[in-house]
Amino acid sequence: MLRESVARAWVAIVLMFIATLFYIWVRFGTAMFGSAAVIAMIHDVLFTLGAMVSCVYIANTAFGRTLMIEDFKINLQTIAAFLTVIGYSLNDTIV
């Protein structure tokens, strides 16, 4: 059941990137802008994920305790935050 959900999620992600690329290609007349938008969305999500991963390592240090950084876990709220980042990135790219 979990493996099937993960596979469906990956298919949805790939289809979303293809649809975004196609829409921007048709809208602006060149595939270069569409591929740049997809790369920017991937970059934004990976940068956010990297910040979360760095917080995991910093949380148990004196620096992390001073800044009150906690160890992050991936849960539904985190997934919603990543979807929000994708939404803002896409909106910023198109608008």
Side-chain angles (χ1 to χ4, degrees), residues 40-94:
M41 281 191 293
I42 293 170
H43 170 268
D44 292 344
V45 170
L46 288 179
F47 186 81
T48 306
L49 183 63
M52 288 184 64
V53 169
S54 66
C55 286
V56 170
Y57 292 110
I58 295 173
N60 294 326
T61 64
F63 180 70
R65 285 188 295 274
T66 302
L67 294 176
M68 295 187 287
I69 295 175
E70 296 180 7
D71 186 13
F72 286 99
K73 303 291 184 207
I74 301 292
N75 54 22
L76 287 177
Q77 289 83 12
T78 308
I79 300 298
F82 283 126
L83 291 173
T84 303
V85 167
I86 290 172
Y88 277 117
S89 177
L90 185 60
N91 185 44
D92 184 47
T93 301
I94 293 175

Side-chain angles (χ1 to χ4, degrees), residues 3-17 46:
R3 223 174 243 185
E4 183 179 327
S5 296
V6 170
R8 285 184 181 188
W10 279 110
V11 169
I13 290 169
V14 169
L15 289 176
M16 184 266 308
F17 284 143
L46 288 179

